[in-house]
Amino acid sequence: MRIVFMGTPEFAVPSLKLLLEQQYNVVAVVTQPDRPKGRKKTLTPPPVKEAALSFNLPVLQPERMRNADAVAAIAELKPDLIVTAAYGQILPKALLDIPRLGCINVHGSLLPKYRGGAPIQRSIINGESSTGVTIMYMAEGLDTGDMISVVELPIGDEDTSGTMFEKLSRAGAELLGQTLPSIISGEAKAVPQQNEEATYAPNLTREDERIDWTKPARAIFNQVRGLSPMAGAFTYLNGEVFKVWQCAVQSAADSKGAVAPGTVLASDSSGIHVQTGEGVVVLKEIQPAGKRAMSAADWLKGARLEAGTLLGDGGAA
């Protein structure tokens, strides 16, 4: 068995390690190119590359997987199976046709819901109570292939994208270990997806990160959780970006209807109380422009934020 593994972020690392721990023959790892990261734009390898090099595995980093040279390089490896997990590009048919056992993908949602690049974040943003991992055969479309196995996990109010990435990455690796023997033996029973039930999870944009204070408190709470700890949700304070990393729903019911959404109602040791379109949220962890993330209570020790201040009242995205 010759396996090529394809993945990029931390989500994919447990699946790669599972293959190695179970002594599968991983002949190469394919990941995205190193990218600039942080304020200094330091060229940084993806987590999967770092893991692969720690195990002395050959690493390929094509800029575009649809490039004929990239496909040829993988064909030369003569893989029996390609395993992908959050690789980040749609694979061309020429590549899907190479391995005799096909290509399988460890996808972080309960397909056919949340096809696409940001299934975990959007599941939380949309207020789902559960999500999961689906292992499927890959097809030419976007996460459209037949499903082989599924595991479901609950999403709690305390969960963020960060906690769910960790939980789902571990669950995906375990499911991969349970599923591989049937794929290799040819006994795997794949089930076609119900395309009419499909929903999509496109990659997040800057606009997805902007807080719309006219939305209900619960929706804003879910948005903040779904964007933490990656990009973070943001609003504006006095025309400058003001990030929100953690908040809580104080009241989901409509209150103080005469006050415009985004109005600061009070600031105290519990945080910054803000009117929404329906209910009140309390901002717990924030990040003013040019500063580090900190508790709202700590920030308020050195900053004045008067009741009546309107958030989200200036600046362009």
Side-chain angles (χ1 to χ4, degrees), residues 65-112:
M65 200 62 252
R66 291 184 175 275
N67 184 289
D69 290 340
V71 175
I74 293 178
E76 288 178 6
L77 297 168
K78 296 181 170 56
D80 297 294
L81 177 70
I82 292 177
V83 178
T84 74
Y87 172 60
Q89 295 186 36
I90 295 178
L91 305 188
K93 186 176 186 301
L95 179 61
L96 299 177
D97 289 343
I98 290 172
R100 64 181 180 86
L101 293 175
C103 302
I104 63 170
N105 183 38
V106 182
H107 183 74
S109 82
L110 300 173
L111 290 173

Side-chain angles (χ1 to χ4, degrees), residues 172-255:
E174 292 173 6
L175 187 64
L176 178 63
Q178 297 164 9
T179 306
L180 274 174
S182 65
I183 293 172
I184 293 167
S185 68
E187 298 174 353
K189 295 178 180 176
V191 179
Q193 294 187 41
Q194 300 298 314
N195 291 325
E196 64 275 11
E197 297 177 6
T199 61
Y200 292 87
N203 290 328
L204 296 166
T205 66
R206 181 69 168 164
E207 194 58 33
D208 291 316
E209 298 163 11
R210 184 202 292 262
I211 297 173
D212 178 355
W213 293 107
T214 66
K215 290 184 176 181
R218 182 76 192 186
I220 293 171
F221 171 68
N222 290 336
Q223 179 188 14
V224 170
R225 292 190 303 134
L227 293 167
S228 177
M230 290 76 174
F234 77 93
T235 185
Y236 289 100
L237 174 61
N238 299 325
E240 293 189 309
V241 170
F242 190 79
K243 286 202 170 189
V244 180
W245 293 104
Q246 184 182 0
C247 70
V249 177
Q250 175 181 308
S251 170
D254 194 12
S255 59

Side-chain angles (χ1 to χ4, degrees), residues 267-271 284 296-297 300:
S267 300
D268 53 35
S269 59
S270 66
K284 298 285 191 179
L300 289 167

